[in-house]
Each structure stands twice: as structure tokens, then as C-alpha cells.
Amino acid sequence: MIEKHIVLEDIDCVVFYGANNVHLQMLKAFYPKLRIVARDNVLRVLGDDEQMAAFEESVEKLREHVLKFNSLKEEDLIDIVRGRRIRDDVPKDVLVYSMSGRPIKARSENQQRLIDAYNENDMVFAVGPAGTGKTYLSIALAVKALKEKQAKKIILSRPAVEAGEKLGFLPGDMKDKIDPYLQPLYDALEDMLPQVKLQDLMQQHVIQIAPLAFMRGRTLSDAVVILDEAQNTTPQQIRMFLTRMGWNTKMIITGDTSQIDLPRPQQSGLVEALRILNNVEGIGIVELTKKDIVRHKLVTRIVKAYEQYESINKD
């Protein structure tokens, strides 16, 4: 009789164990000669060598399945344990899977252009109205690169500019003060990575979230770097950010030139950068439109109504 502790790394244990531990109970039924006890992300297993080896192999295959798809169905568990052939490759058009097991991929022609531009260039500008998936797709590309070990870090940044209202002095330490500005980035990450794993990656500085002001003096290498809400940067800020690029790094800059919150007459750095860098080799520029909006259908109507209003008032 031997005892082993098997650590379920990088996955959501709730998915692995199943609702009401149904997957765990199924595993116990498949290996009746083993005593299996689960605590957090550790399986304590007691039994003989032969069944122990088979159990370890099954657990590793199940772990890899959950890591890829963020889901585990009972029929998949049965097929994996019995050694039957199951899907083992992520479809080419899927970037990653959400925590609910939903495939994250392009949902419009311009979203696919953004993915293609990322694959073909080291720097990409994604410009378009709210709801077109600029930030969400960018973070999905970064998470994919991290999972596939194409990058060692994800670095996410935003200018700390309020959207039309003053928040005043925020309480707490530096993280508490900047978190309100960066919440949309947290939301996207939490939809793609297990909560515990996300916290670990942030504590290890594998995923770094920082305001733009903290970028000066850094060289960002072996990373996917995303600058969100770039329309709210000044020309000096975005130039400083773009020149932080190091070796084996990809940069994605997102923004909406119709939602500039800078005080007048301050010029948007994004608008200037698009004009200056338009024909630079290695830089891709993708413009998304209201046709690419993937939020509630009312968002498309709201964007269209504001465009019509602004067009009339300009004349």
C-alpha cells in the first residue's frame, strides 16, 4: 500500500470535482480499491501500485482537459478514464474557453481582422466604439499566449482618467486607488481564468495591472502588453508607452476616439499616434464599427443615435 498526494495545478477544482462532487464520486467508482480524499486542490490517494498508476494517468488527462476547455462533462470523464478517443484539440478559431466553458472567438469580420493583425504584427491598434469587444478579445489573445507559453507575462494598463465625473481622493493603498480604473480588465480576466489561479498569477507578477504613469523607465520583454482606453492618453504618454517595447513582446492598444475624456484643449495621444504610425511596417491598425458591437442590441442603437446627433450638430 502506498500513499500519494496529487496537486491539481492551474485549474478550477470546482469544475474538476463537479457539482456536489459528482465527478469525484465517479472517479471513486472507477477505482474502488483506492481510498481517495479531496481537500482544496489536493487529492490524497491510498492504494496499491497498479491502480495508483492508472488513477494518476486519468487525473492528469482530466486536468489537461479542464485546463483547455474550462469544463468537464460526465461523458467526457467516462471516455477519458476508459481510454476512449475524445476531443483533444481546441478548434483553430477559438482563442480560449471562458470559465463557463463558452468558446471565446471572433464574432464579426472586424474582430477576426483584429486577431489576424495580432498574429501578423508585433503592435496592433484596435479602434472602435463601446461594445465591439476590443478589450475582451485583446485579453483573450494575451491569456492564450500565456497558456501556450508564447509569453511569460501579461501587462495591462489604462490611463487614470475619470469618465466625466470626479471621484475625488480614494481611500486605501495604491492598489485600492487604481482598482476602480482597471475593473473592466479584472472582469475579462476573471471570465477566462480560475479565481485562485488569477490571484496566484498576480501575486507572482505574471499578470501585472498598472496605471500608465508607472510605465516610465521600464522595458517590457517576453510579454503581451495591452493599453486600454488609449484615447485618454496625451501624446507624451502614448509615445512613452509605445517605446517601452522590448524583445519578444506584442502590444495591443485599444481605444474609442468618440469617448475622449481629456480636459479641453488637450489632444488625444491615440488620435495623433494613428496619424503618425499609419504606414509603419510591423504595426497593424484595425477599425471596428457599430456592426461589431456584441453587447445588448440597445448599445448599437445608442451609438448610432449619438453619431447622428453629433453629425447634425457639427453642421
Side-chain angles (χ1 to χ4, degrees), residues 14-145:
V14 175
V15 175
F16 185 92
Y17 296 144
N20 299 316
N21 287 332
V22 64
H23 297 158
L24 184 61
Q25 298 305 321
M26 291 172 67
L27 277 175
K28 289 180 178 180
F30 274 112
Y31 297 96
K33 295 181 181 179
L34 297 179
R35 185 175 175 221
I36 305 168
V37 178
R39 177 168 293 180
D40 296 327
N41 68 330
V42 178
L43 290 171
R44 179 173 170 266
V45 189
L46 185 67
D48 61 60
D49 284 347
E50 186 177 351
Q51 280 227 339
M52 183 74 73
F55 178 77
E56 283 187 283
E57 184 179 351
S58 293
V59 167
E60 179 56 22
K61 289 180 179 178
L62 290 167
R63 188 194 69 81
E64 290 176 356
H65 183 90
V66 174
L67 184 62
K68 283 183 180 180
F69 302 105
N70 275 330
S71 66
L72 181 62
K73 298 178 182 178
E74 293 180 21
E75 53 267 33
D76 289 336
L77 185 148
I78 293 170
D79 287 343
I80 290 171
V81 173
R82 288 181 174 171
R84 296 174 183 164
R85 183 175 179 82
I86 62 163
R87 62 169 184 166
D88 54 3
D89 292 323
V90 175
K92 288 184 179 180
D93 62 338
V94 175
L95 299 176
V96 290
Y97 285 81
S98 72
M99 291 311 300
S100 62
R102 173 178 55 84
I104 298 173
K105 58 184 179 179
R107 296 174 61 183
S108 71
E109 183 177 342
N110 284 330
Q111 285 190 356
Q112 186 59 52
R113 286 183 59 222
L114 169 55
I115 295 171
D116 294 340
Y118 170 87
N119 291 329
E120 296 166 4
N121 300 277
D122 289 335
M123 183 179 292
V124 178
F125 286 82
V127 185
T132 51
K134 307 181 300 293
T135 301
Y136 193 78
L137 268 185
S138 298
I139 290 181
L141 286 164
V143 170
K144 181 177 187 289

Side-chain angles (χ1 to χ4, degrees), residues 250-264:
K250 293 222 175 195
M251 279 189 168
I252 308 175
I253 300 94
T254 71
D256 177 4
T257 54
S258 70
Q259 292 188 344
I260 298 172
D261 300 311
L262 293 168
R264 294 181 180 179

Side-chain angles (χ1 to χ4, degrees), residues 259-310:
Q259 292 188 344
I260 298 172
D261 300 311
L262 293 168
R264 294 181 180 179
Q266 181 66 65
Q267 183 182 2
S268 168
L270 176 62
V271 173
E272 181 181 90
L274 291 171
R275 186 168 59 247
I276 294 172
L277 303 176
N278 186 41
N279 295 312
V280 175
E281 184 179 355
I283 297 178
I285 298 176
V286 179
E287 294 186 12
L288 297 100
T289 69
K290 54 181 176 288
K291 293 180 181 179
D292 302 299
I293 292 176
V294 291
R295 291 181 185 168
H296 194 286
K297 59 185 178 182
L298 273 178
V299 176
T300 305
R301 297 173 190 168
I302 291 169
V303 170
K304 185 177 180 180
Y306 270 94
E307 286 179 351
Q308 292 174 342
Y309 174 81
E310 288 169 358

